[in-house]
Amino acid sequence: TDTRMDQLLLDVNLATMTDNGRPYGAIEHAAIGWRDGLIVHVGPMSELSGDPHALAHRVDSMPGAWITPGLVDCHTHLVFGGDRATEFEQRLEGVSYEEIARKGGGIVSSVRATRMADEDELLAQSLPRARALVADGVTTLEIKSGYGLEPDAERRMLRVARRIGRELGITVRTSFLGLHALPPEYRERRDDYVGLVCETMLPALADEELVDAVDAFCETIGFTHAETQRLFERARDLGLPVKLHAEQLSDLGGAALVASFEGLSADHLEWASEDGVRAMAAAGTVAVMLPGAYYALRDTRPPPIERFRQHGVPMAVATDLNPGTSPLLSLRLAMSMACTLFRMTPEEALRGATVHAARALGLDDRGQLASGLRADLTVWNVGHPAELSYWIGGNLRRDSWVAGERLIVA
Ligand SMILES: O=C(O)CC[C@@H]1NC(=O)NC1=O
Ligand SMILES: [Fe+3]
């Protein structure tokens, strides 16, 4: 039987992001090969035995290229109608984000634009945003609902998310975010809306296999601890994992709440308490850092990075790509902000956009370059992995592979 690899790359530098005792899990002057979409060989060139052409159908040498696991953007709201550029102007004229939300702007104005768009229009408006992330090294991304806020529009959003994955040949994981904002028609009936989300929308969309995880916006201008708990209990009944926008603007105990459900992640966390961090550590809940929102809101209170380190809470980094607080079209720019604004190290930022981001999506088959894992990898024109956080903007990506197939990035 033919046991040859499908592809072997020679003379490359690997940031494996495994714990091999070296920064970035680096192996320089290395070889990496895969078969049937899974990595089967990772190691120094010196360990390669025999003629490479006898080992693999296709052999390429890329002297000096650095290769990382394909980047994972574990928190985006990139499906939506319209945009909020005018609010950007208002905020620059001194109106606060919370004030805009209370005046029916913010998330709700994106809701109106999303409800008016049909599925093909939503796809056409959202694809360029997903392409921008892929052009900067992403091979797996998460997309939330939450701008429909009624059954058909939420369904349309999640169907568009699935279509983006198929259209671009990348992995898309969906999160149902029905508890993102109170829609105008339920302004006086919030309990009825929470009931609609928990008893009608979630079960129906889960039944249509459109939901990989359940999220909520637990915040003063979002939903309460009790409303979030009710949703999470429904998600648990349906066997769906949970994650949470927690402690972005205040401490409502969201981190401890999502940890109590062994949640995949707590996201934002600028106001996370030590108790919340301790609960996350005990539950293995990932802390997702979203510096794009912190930057766009001109926030001044960074998340407690040192506490996450002390308690061994894994930190991920994501774009939070959304039209209001983080219109950020590059995961590498989020990594740069995570270093410069939150003081994460470049290695922590890269780990946060690979293996820890994969864990925040409940995916353990990717995020590192190791035998048996998916052959999802990005090839970069850099001389050191720290450059991925160092350069502010720019086009550093040279090549992408998804499950062993070279990605054509339009
Ligand atoms: O303003 C928007 O459209 C989304 C804001 C975004 N959503 C959320 O739950 N937190 C945020 O910062
Ligand atoms: Fe978000």
Side-chain angles (χ1 to χ4, degrees):
T1 53
D2 181 355
T3 58
R4 283 183 299 172
M5 293 178 247
D6 297 328
Q7 170 80 50
L8 185 58
L9 299 179
L10 305 178
D11 308 313
V12 293
N13 300 310
L14 303 176
T16 68
M17 305 316 289
T18 58
D19 299 329
N20 66 6
R22 282 189 292 284
Y24 304 93
I27 307 174
E28 305 205 27
H29 200 52
I32 182 167
W34 55 86
R35 182 170 62 240
D36 300 332
L38 296 181
I39 296 169
V40 293
H41 177 93
V42 180
M45 285 295 289
S46 55
E47 285 177 8
L48 209 56
S49 56
D51 167 13
H53 293 277
L55 299 172
H57 290 282
R58 285 191 312 277
V59 179
D60 287 288
S61 168
M62 307 168 97
W66 271 92
I67 298 180
T68 68
L71 300 190
V72 177
D73 193 349
C74 67
H75 184 133
T76 89
H77 308 248
L78 70 79
V79 170
F80 55 85
D83 68 58
R84 301 238 296 278
T86 48
E87 272 181 41
F88 178 63
E89 281 178 322
Q90 284 171 21
R91 274 221 304 282
L92 279 165
E93 286 150 9
V95 185
S96 80
Y97 175 59
E98 284 172 298
E99 218 170 302
I100 291 172
R102 289 192 197 290
K103 288 193 305 189
I107 296 174
V108 175
S109 62
S110 290
V111 170
R112 276 193 295 277
T114 302
R115 286 178 172 179
M116 279 165 23
D118 67 27
E119 195 175 302
D120 290 343
E121 284 161 1
L122 265 187
L123 179 68
Q125 291 186 36
S126 307
L127 263 178
R129 294 190 280 266
R131 283 204 173 92
L133 295 177
V134 171
D136 205 14
V138 167
T139 56
T140 295
L141 65 86
E142 182 254 17
I143 301 178
K144 305 173 189 293
S145 70
Y147 289 111
L149 306 186
E150 52 90 27
D152 288 345
E154 285 290 304
R155 173 177 293 104
R156 263 200 323 276
M157 291 190 70
L158 292 167
R159 287 173 51 83
V160 166
R162 289 275 192 250
R163 287 175 66 181
I164 287 172
R166 292 196 294 272
E167 185 85 17
L168 299 186
I170 60 169
T171 301
V172 166
R173 301 292 285 176
T174 60
S175 297
F176 173 65
L177 183 58
L179 291 193
H180 192 199
L182 196 61
E185 65 272 20
Y186 280 91
R187 189 175 303 292
E188 309 306 325
R189 300 180 290 143
R190 61 180 299 130
D191 212 44
D192 292 349
Y193 179 68
V194 174
L196 175 72
V197 166
C198 296
E199 308 313 325
T200 305
M201 284 197 226
L202 177 54
L205 297 171
D207 192 49
E208 295 169 41
E209 301 199 333
L210 288 171
V211 179
D212 297 318
V214 176
D215 189 354
F217 183 32
C218 186
E219 192 49 73
T220 48
I221 55 172
F223 292 87
T224 65
H225 184 284
E227 291 165 339
T228 303
Q229 174 143 0
R230 178 178 174 186
L231 173 72
F232 281 3
E233 282 160 1
R234 201 79 192 81
R236 183 167 51 191
D237 297 344
L238 294 164
L240 292 170
V242 296
K243 56 179 52 251
L244 189 62
H245 286 69
E247 276 79 284
Q248 178 183 6
L249 307 171
S250 65
D251 181 359
L252 298 186
L257 174 60
V258 69
S260 74
F261 282 84
E262 279 80 52
L264 294 173
S265 73
D267 302 38
H268 283 294
L269 294 176
E270 281 82 352
W271 287 77
S273 66
E274 173 119 35
D275 287 351
V277 174
R278 220 189 296 277
M280 290 174 66
T285 300
V286 174
V288 179
M289 302 291 90
L290 301 172
Y294 179 94
Y295 165 85
L297 292 172
R298 308 178 71 238
D299 200 339
T300 55
R301 179 194 171 103
I305 303 293
E306 197 41 49
R307 287 243 187 278
F308 298 136
R309 289 180 181 133
Q310 280 165 355
H311 291 280
V313 173
M315 293 184 282
V317 176
T319 59
D320 194 13
L321 173 44
N322 76 70
T325 62
S326 190
L328 174 56
L329 297 171
S330 157
L331 180 52
R332 269 197 333 96
L333 202 41
M335 289 163 59
S336 163
M337 292 179 183
C339 295
T340 299
L341 299 178
F342 292 175
R343 316 313 287 158
M344 286 174 75
T345 65
E347 181 180 8
E348 285 176 328
L350 185 54
R351 195 172 301 283
T354 51
V355 54
H356 290 168
R359 194 181 306 173
L361 298 179
L363 299 173
D364 60 4
D365 63 346
R366 68 195 71 193
Q368 293 177 312
L369 300 179
S371 287
L373 295 189
R374 277 169 62 98
D376 286 4
L377 43 92
T378 305
V379 187
W380 302 95
N381 291 318
V382 295
H384 187 288
E387 291 182 54
L388 297 176
S389 295
Y390 165 72
W391 294 109
I392 302 172
N395 302 305
L396 306 184
R397 188 188 68 88
R398 169 172 171 174
D399 229 338
S400 303
W401 303 76
V402 174
E405 296 298 321
R406 187 179 241 133
L407 199 61
I408 308 300
V409 181

